[in-house]
Amino acid sequence: MNTSHPRIAARMADIAPFHVMDILARARQMEAQGRSIIHLEIGEPDFPTPHPIVEAGIAALEQGNLYYSPPLGLPQLRSAIADFYAQHYGVQLSPQRVVVTPGASGALLLALGVLADPGDSVLLADPGYPCNRHFARFIEARTLAVPVDADTGYQLTPKLVERYWTPEVKVVLLASPSNPTGTVVPDADVRAIAAICAARGATLIVDEIYHGLIYEGGYHTALAHSDQVFVVNSFSKYFQMTGWRLGWLVAPEWAMEALDRLVQNLYLAASTPAQYAALAAFTPATLTILEARKTELKIRRDYLASALRDLGFDLPDLPQGAFYLYAGCGRFSQDSFAFAAQILEQTGVAITPGVDFGTYQAQRFVRFAYTTSLPNLQEAVRRLREYLPS
C-alpha cells in the first residue's frame, strides 16, 4: 500500500501560525477546568454589534435579499462608503473606486495580488500584523521588514523608506493605527511616503482598519493626500462587526478592472446579508453608539497604560489609537512567549507574545488588548501585581 502523501507547497514553511493561538487554546482549556481567565490576548471588541446593524441584517434575511451581489459590492453600500469619506474626511470619492470585500484581509489580498509579482518586495514595519508578511509570501512576493522602535512610534518614516529602498520594492505598506502598537503615522509622513512611491514607480497601501479608533488629535485618511494610494478598511473594529466578515478597499481608477477580475475568480462576492447589514453602520443612530464605545475604550487605555507602567512594563508613549498596548517586558523576561505562557498559568491573565508580530526585539515585548471591561482590567492588574516582582 502506498502511504506517501502529496507534497505540501514550499511556501507553507514560511507561513507561521499565530503563537497566541497556543495561548488561547491553553486559556480555553483552563476555563473548561474551572479557572477564571481574563482575556487580554484577543484583538476583538467585547461590545456586541450595534443593534441597528443587527436589525438591518435580520431584515435582509427576512426579505430574501440573499442572492449574489455584484463582485465589487452592493452599489448602495459602495455609495455609502464613499459618502462616509466625504462626511468624515472631506474627501470626494467616486463609489466606483470602492470594493466591498470579505474582511480587511480580503482587501489586502486583492491589493497585493494586483500590485506584486513573484520576487517583488513589499516594504513594511517590524513589528507589524503577521498576515501582512504572510500574504506577501502567499503570492510569492518578498517582504522587506524594517526594524522600528519607539523612536519613530513603531512606524515607517520617509527617511526609513528611503534608507531601506531597493529596486525590487513595488509596494510600501503602512498601518495607521497599527497592530500591535496602536500608533499613528503622522499625516505629513503619509504624504511624503506616497510621494516617494510615486516617484519610484511603487504603490502605497495604507491599512486604516482602526481609523475610527483614534483618541487624540486630528487625522486624515491617506486618500486626502493622494488618489493613487490603496486604502484598506474594515467593518470589524470601529463598527464592531467582526463575525460578519466584511471590509473594503479603495483603489485608483486604473486598478479597478483588474480588481474586478480578481474578485470574480477568488471569491465572486462578499456576503450579501452582511452588506445589507453594513448599510446601517453609517446611520446617526449607529454612530452615536460607536462613539460612546470609543469613549469607553479610551478610558480603558488610559487606565491600563498607567497601571502597566506602575507594574514595571516599558511603555514610553501612549498609543493614539486601536485597542492595544505594546509593552516592553524586558524587566521580567527575554522570552515573550514563555513569559506570556507563565503569566497565563500563574495568574489566569492571557496576553499575546511579541514574537507574533515580527523578529525585531520581539522577545522583549508583549501585547495587551484592552477589549474587556474596566473591572476585568482592574482584576487583571491586581493579579499581575500580586505575581510580578516589585
Side-chain angles (χ1 to χ4, degrees):
M1 180 185 300
N2 183 1
T3 58
S4 63
H5 300 286
R7 181 182 66 86
I8 292 177
R11 70 173 66 88
M12 293 308 300
D14 299 322
I15 298 178
F18 289 0
H19 294 83
V20 72
M21 299 312 293
D22 292 335
I23 299 291
L24 179 60
R26 176 57 182 152
R28 298 297 190 203
Q29 183 183 52
M30 292 168 67
E31 283 180 314
Q33 295 168 350
R35 287 283 300 275
S36 168
I37 304 298
I38 300 175
H39 291 279
L40 307 184
E41 83 280 35
I42 301 174
E44 179 174 33
D46 57 322
F47 305 111
T49 299
H51 192 61
I53 297 175
V54 175
E55 286 185 321
I58 291 172
L61 295 173
E62 291 178 340
Q63 294 166 15
N65 292 326
L66 305 175
Y67 302 100
Y68 293 133
S69 76
L72 298 183
L74 290 174
Q76 55 267 53
L77 182 56
R78 297 171 73 193
S79 292
I81 292 169
D83 289 343
F84 180 73
Y85 281 96
Q87 295 165 8
H88 287 262
Y89 299 106
V91 172
Q92 300 302 315
L93 176 68
S94 168
Q96 301 307 310
R97 292 176 54 198
V98 178
V99 185
V100 181
T101 61
S105 296
L108 180 58
L109 191 58
L110 284 178
L112 290 175
V114 164
L115 295 172
D117 279 322
D120 288 345
S121 290
V122 178
L123 189 70
L124 44 72
D126 178 358
Y129 185 54
C131 286
N132 296 343
R133 63 182 186 271
H134 293 157
F135 281 2
R137 179 65 183 91
F138 182 72
I139 62 168
E140 304 295 336
R142 301 170 181 169
T143 53
L144 186 52
V146 177
V148 293
D149 55 26
D151 290 342
T152 64
Y154 300 99
Q155 294 283 3
L156 295 180
T157 65
K159 288 183 178 179
L160 285 173
V161 170
E162 290 180 327
R163 183 187 311 167
Y164 284 86
W165 195 279
T166 70
E168 292 74 31
V169 171
K170 294 298 181 288
V171 174
V172 175
L173 176 60
L174 301 177
S176 180
S178 79
N179 177 8
T181 66
T183 58
V184 173
V185 183
D187 286 327
D189 283 2
V190 175
R191 184 186 301 108
I193 293 171
I196 293 170
C197 290
R200 302 189 182 191
T203 303
L204 176 62
I205 301 175
V206 185
D207 170 354
E208 295 183 351
I209 72 172
Y210 296 98
H211 233 230
L213 298 174
I214 297 177
Y215 305 110
E216 287 96 14
Y219 57 92
H220 302 281
T221 173
L223 297 167
H225 306 308
S226 171
D227 61 2
Q228 297 303 301
V229 301
F230 284 63
V231 166
V232 173
N233 212 319
S234 173
F235 288 98
S236 290
K237 308 303 183 181
Y238 175 68
F239 296 100
Q240 296 157 15
M241 293 179 65
T242 50
W244 300 78
R245 305 310 306 130
L246 203 66
W248 74 81
L249 174 69
V250 180
E253 291 181 1
W254 53 261
M256 298 310 299
E257 188 275 333
L259 287 166
D260 197 348
R261 278 187 285 127
L262 199 55
V263 168
Q264 293 171 33
N265 282 278
L266 287 184
Y267 58 84
L268 188 62
S271 163
T272 300
Q275 291 188 69
Y276 278 106
L279 286 170
F282 303 111
T283 63
T286 300
L287 293 174
T288 297
I289 295 170
L290 296 176
E291 285 301 301
R293 293 175 176 181
K294 175 180 174 178
T295 299
E296 169 63 20
L297 286 169
K298 181 180 182 297
I299 292 170
R300 296 177 187 181
R301 180 203 63 174
D302 294 347
Y303 165 75
L304 187 58
S306 177
L308 291 178
R309 287 168 177 155
D310 289 344
L311 290 171
F313 289 92
D314 184 19
L315 193 67
D317 296 308
L318 192 64
Q320 304 101 306
F323 35 63
Y324 307 115
L325 296 174
Y326 193 61
C329 62
R331 178 187 171 197
F332 308 110
S333 175
Q334 297 296 317
D335 184 337
S336 62
F337 181 82
F339 180 66
Q342 176 187 4
I343 288 294
L344 175 62
E345 295 292 337
Q346 299 300 320
T347 73
V349 176
I351 59 179
T352 303
V355 290
D356 263 347
F357 304 108
T359 59
Y360 182 61
Q361 299 183 342
Q363 295 290 1
R364 297 178 51 244
F365 285 85
V366 289
R367 190 194 73 178
F368 293 81
Y370 45 94
T371 50
T372 189
S373 69
L374 187 60
N376 279 346
L377 294 177
Q378 292 168 336
E379 172 61 15
V381 169
R382 185 194 66 79
R383 295 182 189 184
L384 291 172
R385 184 177 292 114
E386 286 188 353
Y387 176 71
L388 294 171
S390 58

